[in-house]
Amino acid sequence: MATKFLHLHQSKNERFDRSSRSMKSSERKSQAEKKTITQVSRPERGRWTARGEKEPAKRVLFGNEMKKVDENYYKTQKLLLTKADHKAMHEKAEKRAEEERRFAKEATAHSPEFVVEVRPHIVWEKMNVKLSCIIQGAPIPQVKWYKDGVLIQPAAVPGKYTIENKIGLQTLGISRCSPEDSGEYCALATNALGEASSYATVIVNKYKDSDSGGESIMLEPTHIEPDIDIVDGFETSFGKEGGSLALICTFSSTLTRCRGEFCWLRDGILLKESKWVKIESSDKSTKLTLTHIHKEDEGLYTMCLLTQTGYKEHSGYVFVRDAPAAEPGAAGSPLDVECRDVNKDYVFITWKPPSADGGSPVIGYFIDRCEVGSGKWIQCNDVPEKLCKFPIVGLSENQIYQFRVRALNSAGISRPSRPSEPVTTIDPTAADRIIKIQLDEGKIVITKDELESDIRIPLPPTNIRVTEIGQTYTALCWNEPCPRGREPLMYYVEKSIAGRDSWQRVNLEVPVSCPRFAVFDIVKGILYCFRVRGVNKYGISEPSQPSKAITLGQTLAAPSPPHDIVPIRNTKTSVIVLWKEPEDENELIGFYVYACEVGTNNWEICNNKPVNSESFSVHGLTRGKRYVFRVKSVNPAGISDYSIESTPIVVNNPIFLPSAPYGLTQLNCGMSEMVIGWKEPKFPIGADILGYFLDYRDAVDAEWHEVNIKPIKTRIYKVQNLTKGCFYEFRAFAMNWAGVGQPSEASDQFKCEEWTMPQPGPPFDVIFTEVRRSSLLLQWQPPLYTGKGPVTGYFVEMCETESEKWIALNEEPILNTHMRISHLEEGKTYIFRVLALNSARTGVPSLPSDPVLTETRPGTTEIDIGVDEDGNIFLAFQSLEVTDCSKFVWSKDYQEIATPERVQTETKEETSKLILIDPSEEDLGTYSVVVTGTDGVSSSHTLTEEELQRLKELSHQKRNPLINVKSDWAAELLEKGTVRLWVQVESLSPAAQLQFIINEKEVSSTPAHKINFDKANGIIEMIIQNFSEEDQGSYTAQLQDGKAKGQFTLVLIDEKFQDILSQCNFQKREWKRKQGPYFEKYLRWEVTEECDLLLTCKMTNTKTQTSVKWYKDGKQITDAAYDPQTGISSLSISQVTKKDEGIYNVVVADERGQDSSDLELLNQAFDDILKEICRIGGTSASELKLQCTAEGIKLYSLMKYNLEYMKKTWYFNEKSLESQERRRIGSDNQRVWLQIFNPTEADKGKYTLELFDSKQTHKRVLKLSDQVFDEAIAEYQRLKQAEIAEKNRAKVVKGLPDVVNIMEDKTLCLTCTISGDPIPEVFWLKNDREIVSGEHYQVTVEKTTVTFNIQQVTTQDSGRYSVFVRNKYGSETANVTVGVYKHGDESREE
C-alpha cells in the first residue's frame, strides 16, 4: 500500500513538474521567436536623366569617385523628399495600423464554448458527487457555478463544495449529498467576448422509510447503476524510435453516450488523432496507438475518464529509446524541430540536441528543407551549424515547406529528426496592411498602400538590430520604412568593419523582400556594423542608422553540468534522481539523465526528451541492483559535460523496519494479571507503526512466550493468566509496513502480586514538548492504580544527567497532567519524573523521561494566530522538518479537543492551520500542536479574551471588505463623438472579476460598447461608439476581488444625459464638417471706431473651387468681402438701424461638403450692438459748440454716430431741461443740439449735455458768459435781420419750365408765381432785352401770378426769355428757352 501510494504521488509530481517546465519552455520559445530575423535584398540602381528616361551605366566607379556620386545623389534625393508632407501620411498609416492590430487581436479571440457539457447525476444521500465539464475560450474564461440560479460560494459552506480547474477540466464537488442538494446546477463561463452555460440536474435519492426529508425521489438501491471505473490500465512503457506502441485502459462497464467520456493527454496537453496518433475505443476499453514513435512522443500519458460523479484518471510514463544509428558511432537524431518568424523568404529554425552522441561530440547540424508535395529534401547549409538554431534564407514566397535536422559527429551523420509542421512562407504583415471597415451597406477594404500618397523613393528603414549570433551567421532585423510608397519594396544589406566608413553590400546574390536577413560571410573576431537601404523601381533610399558593433566571438557556449546529484528510492524498479541546475544559465532547454549499474560501466540513456524539472523518475531498473547516475544540461549551444556521479543506491522500496520499543514498566498488577506499558521506537522518526507484539517469560525460564497473536494498537496491555507470586520479564516488538522490528531489551522482573497499597501507582508516558533554551512542557498519563482514594495531584521532580539528585519543582501538588517548567539553564541536559498523590500519601515515581537538552533549535517556529483572507480566525504552525508521514496533532489545554465541530484543520505541505468556527468564549484557552515524524517539533499559544475580540473585529473586516473608489464615474468625449465612461478604484489583483450592468441587464464587451478593465490600475471604462438616446439609463460596475466587493453606478438621465448627448452630437458634427471646408472661427460681430458694424468669420481647409455666400433672413447678400489667402470673410454695415436687425448666415461649400455659421442679431444681441455703438459714439462726442441762427442760439455736440438708443439729457445750471416751445432739443446721425429761440439775458449760464450709453455717462459742458453771450446775441440779431430780408425779397416761386418747344402759328402762354413784400415789379426780357407788351407780346400781372403770351409765334420768336422781379429787399430772375419749329417738322426735345 505505501509503495503504491509513493509511486502515484511521484507520478503526479512528475507530471506537474513537467507541465511547469513545459510552460517555462514555451516562454523561452516565445522569447526566442521575438529574437528571430529574416533577410532582404534590393535591385541594382541605375541613373535617371532629366527627362525621366533611364540611362545605362557607362562605367563602374570605385573608392572616392563612388562616394562622391553617392553623396550628390543622396543630397538631391533628400531635397526632393523633404517637399512631401510626410507627417499627415504617417499619422494616417499609424492610425490604420493600430485599428488593424486591434481587429486582428479581436479576430483571434472567441467566446467560451463547452467541449464537454455538464452531465445529470442521480446519487444516494450521504454520497459525494462531482459535476465536470471541459471549456475552451480565448481569453481564458472565468467559470462560476450556480444552483437553482444562486451563485455557489464554497467559503460560505466550508467543506461542502469544492471547485477545481485542471487543464481546462472544470469540476464542482459536492460532499455528503442530502436531498436539499437536489436541483438544477449551471456552469457559467465568461470572458470579454461573451459567455456560455451548461445545465444539469442532480437528484439525491433517499432510502425508503428515511426521515431525511426533501423533495428527492425515493428509490430502491438496486435502481442505481454503478459508476464506471478504470479496472486495468497501462504501466510505464518503453518504445523504440521508428516503432509503434499501444496504451490500453479497460473500464468496469460499458461506455455510453450518457455515461463515460474520455480523453488522452501527454504532459498535460490534450491529444488528438493525427498522422502519428490513433485513438480507438470499444464498449469497455480505449486504446491510444503511436503509429511511428519519435522522441517527441516521450512523456507522461494520462487517460482521463469523465463519469457521473466526476473524473478518474490513469497515468504512465512512456520512454522512447534511440533507433539504431544510421552509421556506426553516429549521434542520435535531433528532436522538436520548430519553425519561427516565418516570412516571405525567411524562416528561423530551432531544435533540441540528441541525448546520445555516439561516443564522440556533435560537431554541428545540417538542416534540410522540402517543398510539401515534392518529396525532395534539399540541404540548406554547407557548413555545419553548431547552435541549435539557424536562419533559412532565399525561400520562395507562398510555398509550403517542411524542415528536418541531422546531427554530425566524427563518425558520420545521424538519422534525420521528425519533420517539422508545414509552414507557408507569406508576408506576416500583409494582413496588417489591410483595413476592413464594416458599414451598413457592406465592407470597405482599404490598404495602407492607398494611404502612402505619391511617395516614390522610400524613406530609409529604421531600428536595425542584431537578433541572433550563430556560429556561422549573424541574423538581422529591422523595421520597414514608413511611409514606404506603393511600389514593391526590396532591401540592400550592407556591412562595414566597425570604425570604418567603407560599406559593402552583402546580398548580391540573394534578393531580400522582407525585413529579415542573415549574413554569413563575416570573419570571426572582427567587429562589424550593418545598415539597410530600401529600394523600389523609383530609386534607393538613404541608408538606415548602423547597428551596434558585433562579432561572431560572442556566440552562446555549451552549459555547465548540473551538480548535487542525489538518487532516492521510489519503487522496487525505479529511482528518483534529483539535481541542481547550473548557476547563471539563462537558456537551458532541459536535462538528460544517464544510469549505470555499479561495476558494468555501461551507461544507458534514461530519457531521450529533455526533462524540464530538476528531478526525474528512472524506471526499468532491476530490484536489488546498485546504480549510479549522472546528468547533462542542454541549451541551444549543445550538451554539457557529464555531471559528477551520484552515490550508489540499491533499488528497493523506501521503507525501513522500526527500531525496538523501550522503557517497559509495570503499571498495575492483580492476582494473575499485570498491566505493562512501553515507549514507541525512536527510529525511524515518525514511523507509521501498525502495532506491537509482547513476549514474556518466567524469571526461572529462559524461553520467551507470545502474549498476543494480533498486533496491539496501544502501548499498554494487560497480560493475563499469570501465576501468582512469580516473577516475569517482558519484551516488545514494533511492526510497520516493512515488517516486525527487533525486540526490546528485557524488562525488569515484575512480581505477579495484587497491589493493595494505599498510595497510587506510578504515572506513565512522561514526555516533553515545546523545548526551548530555558523552558519546556512536561506531560504524562495518570496512574492506572489510584490506591486508597482518587489522585488529588502530582509532584514533578527534575535531575541533571550529571547528578543523581532529584529536585522537586512544585511545593504544592498540581491537578493537571501537564506542567510548564521554566528557568532552566540553557545547554544543560535534564530528566524528569512524576509522582501521584492521593489521600494516603505520594506514590511511587514514574519511569524517568528521556534526557532532554535545553536549547532552541535553529529553525524553531511558534504558532501564528491571525485572520485569513476569508475572515477565518486561525492558528497556524509551520515546520520545515515534516516528512511524508508527519502529522500535525492539535490539542486544547493539552487535551484532545472536546468539540471538534467547532474547529477545522487544514494541512498543506509543511504548514497546518487550525480554524476556529464561530469563535466565542468557549474557545479561550491554550492551543498546542505536535508534529509527528519529527524530533519533537511542537509549540503552543494561549488565546485570551482581549486577543479574541481583536481577531473577531478583524475577521468582520475581512469577511465584508469593500473596494475603495479613487475617482468616481466621469464621462469624457473623444473624437468623432465617441463617449468614454470611466471609474477608477484601488489596484486589483489579476483574479478580480467585473460584471457590467446597463439598465439592470448584464452586458459584455462589443465593438459598439467596448469594456476595458485595467486591473493593475483599477480603471474600468466603457467606450460607446455611437452615443444615442438608447444609451440613456444607469451604468453599474460590479467588482469582486476575492472577498472584496464593490458596486459603482452612474446615472445618465434627464439634463445630465441630454447635456452629454448634445456635446456628443456636436463632436460628431464637428468631425463631419471638418472633412471639407469649415469655419475655423465662426461668424461674430464687432463695432469699429467709426461706429460701423463689422461681421467677420474665418474659413480653413478651402480650395480654389470653394464658394462663400452670405445671407440675411434667408436673402443673399452680395456685398460681403472674402480673402482666399487668409480665409477671412467680412460684411461691413454703416449707420446701423433697426432694419439691420435679423439672422445672418454664411455658407462655405465645395464638392467635399459644406459648413455654415449663423449669427442671430435679434433682441438682446442686437441691443448689445446698439450699446457698443452708443459707447463708441458717446466717447467720440465733441465738446459743446455754439451756433447762432436767425431763430436764436443753437448748442450742439458732434459725434461719429448718434443713435436714438442713447439717452441724451440737457442741463441748464444743473437743472434738467425739457423740450418746449422756446427751448427745443433735437439730434440727427452726427449731432445732438439744444435750440434756444429768441434768447434773452435769462438764457445766460452753464449748459451741460449728458450722453448715457447704458453703462457709462459722457458729459459735455459749455458756459455762456457775458462776452460769449453778448457776441452770440449780436450774431443772432444779424442773422435774424438777414432772414427777414431773405423772406420778403422778390422771388419767382414756381411756374417756368426750362425749355419750351412750340409749332409756329401757335400761341405760347408762360405762367409763373412770384412773391415778395412789398409786391415786386415784373419785367420780361428776351435775350436779355426788355419786352414791351403789345399785340404780339402780352404781359398780365394778377396779384402774385404773372402771365406772358406770344400770339402766333414764328421762328423769330425763338430765344431765351427771362422774367425779372424786384422790390426793395432784392431781385431774382427766372429763365426759359423757347424753340419754334415749322409745320411738318418734329419737335426738338432737349
Side-chain angles (χ1 to χ4, degrees):
M1 289 291 290
T3 304
K4 184 175 182 182
F5 172 76
L6 290 172
H7 171 63
L8 292 176
H9 178 72
Q10 175 60 29
S11 298
K12 290 183 179 180
N13 287 343
E14 191 174 75
R15 173 187 175 187
F16 287 115
D17 286 344
R18 288 179 173 275
S19 300
S20 174
R21 180 65 68 173
S22 176
M23 291 173 64
K24 294 179 181 178
S25 177
S26 299
E27 293 175 0
R28 295 191 186 109
K29 292 177 182 177
S30 177
Q31 294 174 1
E33 288 175 359
K34 294 178 181 177
K35 297 180 180 179
T36 56
I37 57 173
T38 54
Q39 57 183 7
V40 295
S41 68
R42 81 178 177 192
E44 295 290 343
R45 74 165 185 249
R47 298 177 57 204
W48 295 79
T49 65
R51 297 182 178 180
E53 299 175 352
K54 190 170 183 180
E55 181 181 81
K58 296 182 179 179
R59 63 190 184 92
V60 179
L61 302 179
F62 296 92
N64 294 333
E65 291 181 314
M66 186 64 185
K67 180 179 179 181
K68 188 176 297 183
V69 170
D70 278 346
E71 287 177 350
N72 293 334
Y73 173 81
Y74 291 128
K75 286 180 181 178
T76 304
Q77 183 188 43
K78 186 173 183 180
L79 290 174
L80 293 174
L81 289 176
T82 53
K83 295 181 180 180
D85 182 8
H86 301 307
K87 183 177 181 181
M89 291 184 292
H90 179 74
E91 290 176 350
K92 286 184 179 180
E94 286 296 324
K95 184 177 179 181
R96 295 291 186 183
E98 179 63 27
E99 292 178 354
E100 177 190 338
R101 286 191 289 269
R102 179 168 59 84
F103 292 154
K105 183 178 180 181
E106 293 176 354
T108 58
H110 64 89
S111 59
E113 60 178 352
F114 283 79
V115 179
V116 177
E117 297 199 353
V118 186
R119 300 173 176 276
H121 289 71
I122 302 176
V123 296
W124 291 99
E125 60 182 344
K126 299 183 180 180
M127 291 180 60
N128 298 336
V129 66
K130 277 192 177 181
L131 306 180
S132 306
C133 59
I134 296 179
I135 304 171
Q136 292 181 350
I140 298 175
Q142 299 289 331
V143 180
K144 295 182 180 180
W145 291 86
Y146 294 83
K147 177 182 181 293
D148 296 330
V150 179
L151 178 65
I152 295 176
Q153 297 180 336
V157 189
K160 182 65 177 179
Y161 300 102
T162 304
I163 298 177
E164 294 180 348
N165 177 10
K166 185 176 182 182
I167 321 174
L169 177 64
Q170 307 284 342
T171 60
L172 169 66
I174 309 173
S175 63
R176 296 184 61 82
C177 292
S178 66
E180 287 75 18
D181 294 319
S182 298
E184 184 182 64
Y185 288 77
C186 169
L188 178 65
T190 308
N191 66 8
L193 298 179
E195 63 181 29
S197 57
S198 177
Y199 294 84
T201 302
V202 174
I203 299 176
V204 181
N205 295 323
K206 58 183 179 182
Y207 293 92
K208 286 187 176 181
D209 301 326
S210 173
D211 325 332
S212 57
E215 298 179 358
S216 53
I217 310 171
M218 288 189 181
L219 296 174
E220 292 290 340
T222 55
H223 294 171
I224 302 298
E225 298 182 2
D227 200 2
I228 301 177
D229 203 352
I230 303 172
V231 296
D232 191 15
F234 54 93
E235 299 295 336
T236 300
S237 305
F238 295 84
K240 180 173 286 189
E241 190 178 10
S244 62
L245 181 67
L247 306 177
I248 302 175
C249 278
T250 305
F251 308 122
S252 60
S253 56
T254 303
L255 298 176
T256 64
R257 184 175 181 182
C258 299
R259 298 175 61 252
E261 189 167 328
F262 62 88
C263 59
W264 288 86
L265 303 98
R266 177 172 60 219
D267 294 331
I269 300 175
L270 183 67
L271 291 176
K272 297 182 180 179
E273 285 208 20
S274 65
K275 177 182 178 181
W276 316 109
V277 178
K278 300 296 181 185
I279 300 176
E280 303 171 272
S281 64
S282 60
D283 291 343
K284 292 187 177 182
S285 66
T286 177
K287 180 170 72 172
L288 174 74
T289 304
L290 303 176
T291 57
H292 190 280
I293 299 177
H294 292 86
K295 295 179 180 180
E296 290 85 345
D297 296 320
E298 187 172 290
L300 181 68
Y301 285 74
T302 302
M303 195 287 300
C304 185
L305 175 66
L306 300 175
T307 68
Q308 293 180 350
T309 58
Y311 73 94
K312 300 177 181 178
E313 64 180 24
H314 176 79
S315 300
Y317 207 93
V318 172
F319 295 85
V320 178
R321 291 171 175 161
D322 279 306
E327 299 176 27
S333 60
L335 67 155
D336 284 343
V337 180
E338 295 183 3
C339 302
R340 302 177 180 178
D341 203 6
V342 180
N343 226 295
K344 290 192 292 187
D345 57 4
Y346 174 97
V347 174
F348 195 81
I349 306 298
T350 63
W351 62 90
K352 295 178 182 176
S355 58
D357 57 12
S360 60
V362 173
I363 300 172
Y365 301 88
F366 289 113
I367 299 90
D368 303 332
R369 73 170 186 267
C370 175
E371 291 188 18
V372 174
S374 68
K376 182 179 180 181
W377 290 92
I378 302 173
Q379 185 171 305
C380 299
N381 58 318
D382 297 325
V383 178
E385 176 57 36
K386 189 169 182 60
L387 296 182
C388 295
K389 47 189 177 182
F390 189 78
I392 308 298
V393 299
L395 301 177
S396 300
E397 187 175 358
N398 296 323
Q399 291 292 333
I400 303 176
Y401 290 92
Q402 284 184 292
F403 300 87
R404 69 183 187 185
V405 182
R406 295 170 294 153
L408 172 70
N409 65 2
S410 59
I413 301 176
S414 72
R415 296 162 58 95
S417 66
R418 179 176 8 192
S420 68
E421 293 295 327
V423 294
T424 304
T425 51
I426 59 174
D427 183 4
T429 64
D432 296 340
R433 300 186 63 82
I434 299 176
I435 302 171
K436 297 181 180 179
I437 303 175
Q438 184 68 43
L439 301 176
D440 295 338
E441 296 80 10
K443 288 184 179 178
I444 298 177
V445 180
I446 302 174
T447 65
K448 282 189 178 180
D449 292 340
E450 296 175 0
L451 303 177
E452 297 288 358
S453 185
D454 294 324
I455 296 298
R456 293 198 171 188
I457 299 177
L459 294 179
T462 59
N463 194 22
I464 182 170
R465 55 202 180 275
V466 177
T467 57
E468 294 286 345
I469 301 176
Q471 190 71 17
T472 59
Y473 67 89
T474 296
L476 305 177
C477 175
W478 61 87
N479 298 341
E480 68 175 13
C482 183
R484 56 169 243 177
R486 298 180 179 178
E487 299 301 326
L489 190 64
M490 306 290 283
Y491 299 95
Y492 289 168
V493 183
E494 300 174 350
K495 70 177 180 180
S496 172
I497 297 176
R500 300 183 184 179
D501 196 21
S502 176
W503 294 91
Q504 177 185 359
R505 183 177 162 193
V506 297
N507 62 322
L508 295 172
E509 299 178 358
V510 181
V512 179
S513 58
C514 66
R516 305 285 191 276
F517 189 71
V519 182
F520 290 86
D521 52 340
I522 53 181
V523 180
K524 189 174 183 179
I526 298 178
L527 289 172
Y528 288 91
C529 294
F530 303 91
R531 70 182 188 185
V532 185
R533 300 175 187 263
V535 59
N536 60 17
K537 72 177 187 179
Y538 294 108
I540 308 171
S541 75
E542 292 186 355
S544 66
Q545 292 294 324
S547 67
K548 294 182 179 179
I550 60 95
T551 178
L552 287 184
Q554 299 172 353
T555 54
L556 182 68
S560 302
H563 56 92
D564 294 345
I565 315 301
V566 178
I568 302 175
R569 286 184 181 178
N570 185 29
T571 68
K572 60 184 178 182
T573 59
S574 66
V575 169
I576 299 175
V577 181
L578 306 176
W579 62 87
K580 293 183 179 179
E581 67 179 20
E583 298 178 356
D584 300 326
E585 295 291 344
N586 297 324
E587 295 188 35
L588 285 178
I589 297 175
F591 304 90
Y592 286 124
V593 182
Y594 303 81
C596 176
E597 184 179 345
V598 174
T600 63
N601 201 29
N602 181 22
W603 289 95
E604 294 183 356
I605 302 168
C606 301
N607 61 311
N608 265 317
K609 185 177 181 180
V611 59
N612 296 319
S613 62
E614 296 182 4
S615 64
F616 187 73
S617 296
V618 180
H619 290 263
L621 304 178
T622 304
R623 184 178 184 180
K625 297 289 186 179
R626 289 165 57 87
Y627 288 87
V628 290
F629 302 89
R630 58 188 183 186
V631 185
K632 285 185 177 182
S633 304
V634 184
N635 73 357
I639 302 177
S640 71
D641 296 330
Y642 287 106
S643 67
I644 299 175
E645 293 182 6
S646 69
T647 57
I649 186 173
V650 178
V651 179
N652 211 330
N653 293 322
I655 303 176
F656 303 92
L657 292 173
S659 61
Y662 66 102
L664 279 74
T665 185
Q666 185 182 23
L667 302 179
N668 199 357
C669 188
M671 295 181 62
S672 61
E673 59 190 17
M674 290 185 190
V675 178
I676 305 298
W678 58 91
K679 296 181 180 181
E680 65 182 7
K682 295 182 178 180
F683 181 82
I685 296 176
D688 189 7
I689 303 299
L690 302 179
Y692 297 92
F693 295 96
L694 193 63
D695 290 353
Y696 76 97
R697 68 180 178 185
D698 194 317
V700 296
D701 188 1
E703 184 178 355
W704 290 96
H705 305 280
E706 294 179 349
V707 174
N708 58 307
I709 303 299
K710 294 182 178 181
I712 304 167
K713 299 295 184 182
T714 63
R715 288 183 284 108
I716 300 175
Y717 193 74
K718 181 186 289 187
V719 183
Q720 300 177 337
N721 301 321
L722 300 177
T723 303
K724 181 179 179 181
C726 293
F727 289 86
Y728 293 93
E729 294 178 352
F730 298 90
R731 68 179 183 182
F733 302 80
M735 181 187 75
N736 65 4
W737 289 107
V740 179
Q742 296 297 318
S744 65
E745 295 182 358
S747 68
D748 295 337
Q749 293 183 359
F750 304 128
K751 185 178 181 180
C752 183
E753 181 179 13
E754 183 177 6
W755 287 1
T756 58
M757 53 195 175
Q759 64 271 22
F764 66 98
D765 203 11
V766 180
I767 60 174
F768 44 83
T769 57
E770 304 177 32
V771 179
R772 302 295 185 265
R773 62 182 182 181
S774 61
S775 65
L776 56 82
L777 182 78
L778 196 68
Q779 295 175 274
W780 60 89
Q781 296 296 326
L784 300 180
Y785 177 77
T786 59
K788 183 178 180 181
V791 174
T792 58
Y794 300 92
F795 289 97
V796 179
E797 295 180 348
M798 174 186 70
C799 177
E800 295 185 17
T801 54
E802 299 176 356
S803 172
E804 296 182 357
K805 181 179 180 182
W806 289 92
I807 303 172
L809 297 178
N810 56 317
E811 297 179 356
E812 299 293 332
I814 59 174
L815 300 178
N816 297 322
T817 56
H818 62 271
M819 179 180 178
R820 181 168 297 280
I821 303 172
S822 305
H823 307 293
L824 299 176
E825 189 175 347
E826 183 178 2
K828 289 287 186 75
T829 302
Y830 299 92
I831 57 175
F832 302 89
R833 67 182 185 186
V834 183
L835 299 88
L837 174 69
N838 64 5
S839 57
R841 62 179 183 272
T842 302
V844 295
S846 66
L847 192 69
S849 68
D850 292 337
V852 55
L853 175 64
T854 53
E855 66 173 354
T856 302
R857 298 176 57 184
T860 299
T861 57
E862 302 295 342
I863 291 178
D864 180 28
I865 187 167
V867 179
D868 61 19
E869 293 300 324
D870 295 328
N872 298 318
I873 298 176
F874 69 89
L875 294 95
F877 184 71
Q878 182 182 28
S879 173
L880 301 178
E881 301 180 22
V882 295
T883 62
D884 293 340
C885 57
S886 294
K887 296 180 181 179
F888 291 81
V889 180
W890 289 88
S891 60
K892 180 185 177 186
D893 296 329
Y894 301 104
Q895 301 291 331
E896 183 179 356
I897 298 178
T899 55
E901 69 278 0
R902 297 186 61 83
V903 296
Q904 178 181 346
T905 305
E906 295 180 358
T907 301
K908 185 177 182 181
E909 297 179 351
E910 70 249 2
T911 302
S912 180
K913 184 186 293 185
L914 181 71
I915 299 175
L916 304 180
I917 301 175
D918 192 17
S920 63
E921 293 183 358
E922 299 179 23
D923 298 299
L924 300 178
T926 300
Y927 291 84
S928 60
V929 60
V930 175
V931 184
T932 65
T934 63
D935 191 10
V937 176
S938 56
S939 183
S940 66
H941 181 84
T942 301
L943 179 61
T944 63
E945 184 176 357
E946 293 77 9
E947 186 177 34
L948 179 61
Q949 185 62 31
R950 178 183 62 82
L951 293 173
K952 290 175 71 174
E953 292 175 358
L954 183 59
S955 173
H956 182 270
Q957 296 176 6
K958 289 287 184 92
R959 290 180 186 272
N960 304 280
L962 295 177
I963 297 175
N964 298 321
V965 64
K966 283 188 175 181
S967 180
D968 210 347
W969 278 106
E972 293 182 2
L973 291 178
L974 308 179
E975 63 176 2
K976 298 184 182 180
T978 301
V979 176
R980 174 180 179 249
L981 307 178
W982 67 278
V983 64
Q984 184 176 14
V985 299
E986 59 185 316
S987 179
L988 303 174
S989 71
Q993 297 180 3
L994 167 66
Q995 287 183 312
F996 210 105
I997 299 172
I998 301 179
N999 294 332
E1000 300 182 356
K1001 182 180 179 181
E1002 184 176 354
V1003 298
S1004 57
S1005 182
T1006 63
H1009 292 72
K1010 185 177 181 182
I1011 300 173
N1012 296 323
F1013 187 17
D1014 184 352
K1015 299 179 182 179
N1017 296 315
I1019 296 177
I1020 305 158
E1021 65 177 8
M1022 171 173 277
I1023 309 297
I1024 304 176
Q1025 295 293 338
N1026 296 309
F1027 195 75
S1028 62
E1029 290 285 351
E1030 298 178 356
D1031 296 306
Q1032 184 172 199
S1034 63
Y1035 295 77
T1036 302
Q1038 293 183 349
L1039 291 174
Q1040 183 168 357
D1041 190 2
K1043 286 294 182 180
K1045 297 181 179 179
Q1047 177 169 310
F1048 311 96
T1049 301
L1050 170 66
V1051 179
L1052 286 182
I1053 59 175
D1054 301 335
E1055 294 182 1
K1056 187 174 183 180
F1057 172 78
Q1058 293 300 330
D1059 181 53
I1060 295 176
L1061 181 61
S1062 63
Q1063 295 181 47
C1064 177
N1065 293 333
F1066 174 76
Q1067 289 284 0
K1068 292 179 183 177
R1069 292 192 300 269
E1070 282 292 288
W1071 178 84
K1072 184 176 181 181
R1073 77 182 183 87
K1074 290 183 180 180
Q1075 303 309 301
Y1078 65 92
F1079 286 92
E1080 183 178 342
K1081 294 180 180 179
Y1082 285 102
L1083 190 60
R1084 58 183 179 176
W1085 63 265
E1086 63 175 318
V1087 178
T1088 67
E1089 290 300 320
E1090 300 302 322
C1091 292
D1092 294 336
L1093 175 60
L1094 183 63
L1095 306 181
T1096 61
C1097 58
K1098 185 176 181 180
M1099 284 75 74
T1100 188
N1101 197 24
T1102 59
K1103 302 193 304 184
T1104 306
Q1105 298 83 1
T1106 303
S1107 64
V1108 180
K1109 295 181 180 180
W1110 285 72
Y1111 299 89
K1112 177 181 179 294
D1113 297 331
K1115 296 181 180 180
Q1116 186 172 353
I1117 303 173
T1118 58
D1119 53 353
Y1122 171 57
D1123 184 359
Q1125 297 298 324
T1126 62
I1128 297 176
S1129 181
S1130 61
L1131 174 66
S1132 180
I1133 303 174
S1134 301
Q1135 297 185 355
V1136 177
T1137 61
K1138 194 67 176 177
K1139 68 178 182 180
D1140 297 312
E1141 186 176 15
I1143 299 175
Y1144 291 81
N1145 172 259
V1146 182
V1147 177
V1148 56
D1150 57 25
E1151 71 277 4
R1152 297 171 295 167
Q1154 72 173 26
D1155 192 13
S1156 63
S1157 176
D1158 298 331
L1159 181 61
E1160 289 189 3
L1161 299 183
L1162 299 171
N1163 303 324
Q1164 184 61 42
F1166 191 73
D1167 289 346
D1168 291 341
I1169 295 175
L1170 297 180
K1171 290 177 182 179
E1172 181 64 15
I1173 295 175
C1174 291
R1175 184 191 66 80
I1176 297 176
T1179 304
S1180 67
S1182 66
E1183 294 298 327
L1184 289 178
K1185 297 182 180 181
L1186 177 64
Q1187 180 183 5
C1188 296
T1189 66
E1191 291 82 10
I1193 299 173
K1194 180 183 286 187
L1195 305 179
Y1196 68 92
S1197 175
L1198 295 175
M1199 59 182 64
K1200 292 183 178 180
Y1201 188 56
N1202 174 37
L1203 285 175
E1204 294 182 358
Y1205 191 84
M1206 183 185 296
K1207 182 179 179 182
K1208 297 170 278 290
T1209 307
W1210 287 89
Y1211 295 88
F1212 175 60
N1213 294 331
E1214 308 301 333
K1215 183 179 180 181
S1216 176
L1217 295 179
E1218 299 291 339
S1219 185
Q1220 53 188 354
E1221 184 177 353
R1222 210 173 70 83
R1223 289 191 182 98
R1224 292 181 183 176
I1225 299 173
S1227 64
D1228 57 20
N1229 289 343
Q1230 276 81 34
R1231 292 190 306 168
V1232 178
W1233 68 80
L1234 172 63
Q1235 180 74 50
I1236 305 174
F1237 295 97
N1238 301 319
T1240 64
E1241 286 291 331
D1243 296 316
K1244 185 186 300 184
K1246 177 183 176 182
Y1247 288 86
T1248 303
L1249 171 63
E1250 287 189 357
L1251 303 173
F1252 181 65
D1253 61 8
S1254 76
K1255 290 185 179 180
Q1256 187 177 0
T1257 300
H1258 309 275
K1259 288 185 179 183
R1260 301 293 184 264
V1261 179
L1262 178 63
K1263 293 182 180 180
L1264 287 180
S1265 61
D1266 293 339
Q1267 182 180 356
V1268 174
F1269 184 75
D1270 293 341
E1271 291 175 356
I1273 290 296
E1275 181 65 16
Y1276 156 67
Q1277 294 295 341
R1278 186 188 67 79
L1279 292 175
K1280 184 176 181 181
Q1281 294 300 322
E1283 182 183 22
I1284 293 173
E1286 177 64 24
K1287 181 179 179 182
N1288 295 326
R1289 181 178 61 85
K1291 300 176 185 176
V1292 178
V1293 178
K1294 61 179 179 179
L1296 291 180
D1298 293 333
V1299 178
V1300 175
N1301 293 319
I1302 189 171
M1303 189 188 313
E1304 63 181 357
D1305 296 332
K1306 296 290 184 180
T1307 299
L1308 175 62
C1309 182
L1310 297 175
T1311 303
C1312 64
T1313 302
I1314 62 175
S1315 66
D1317 187 16
I1319 295 174
E1321 297 178 279
V1322 179
F1323 302 94
W1324 282 92
L1325 304 175
K1326 177 184 178 184
N1327 297 329
D1328 297 331
R1329 297 179 69 180
E1330 185 178 356
I1331 298 174
V1332 179
S1333 177
E1335 291 182 2
H1336 189 64
Y1337 297 103
Q1338 296 176 358
V1339 178
T1340 304
V1341 178
E1342 294 181 0
K1343 296 183 180 180
T1344 60
T1345 302
V1346 179
T1347 304
F1348 175 68
N1349 294 320
I1350 302 175
Q1351 301 294 331
Q1352 295 181 349
V1353 296
T1354 63
T1355 55
Q1356 288 79 11
D1357 293 323
S1358 296
R1360 180 168 64 87
Y1361 291 83
S1362 302
V1363 57
F1364 176 71
V1365 293
R1366 181 180 61 190
N1367 66 5
K1368 66 178 182 179
Y1369 292 109
S1371 63
E1372 184 174 293
T1373 301
N1375 299 316
V1376 60
T1377 301
V1378 176
V1380 180
Y1381 59 91
K1382 295 181 178 182
H1383 293 280
D1385 293 342
E1386 294 183 357
S1387 62
R1388 294 169 296 171
E1389 297 182 0
E1390 296 286 341

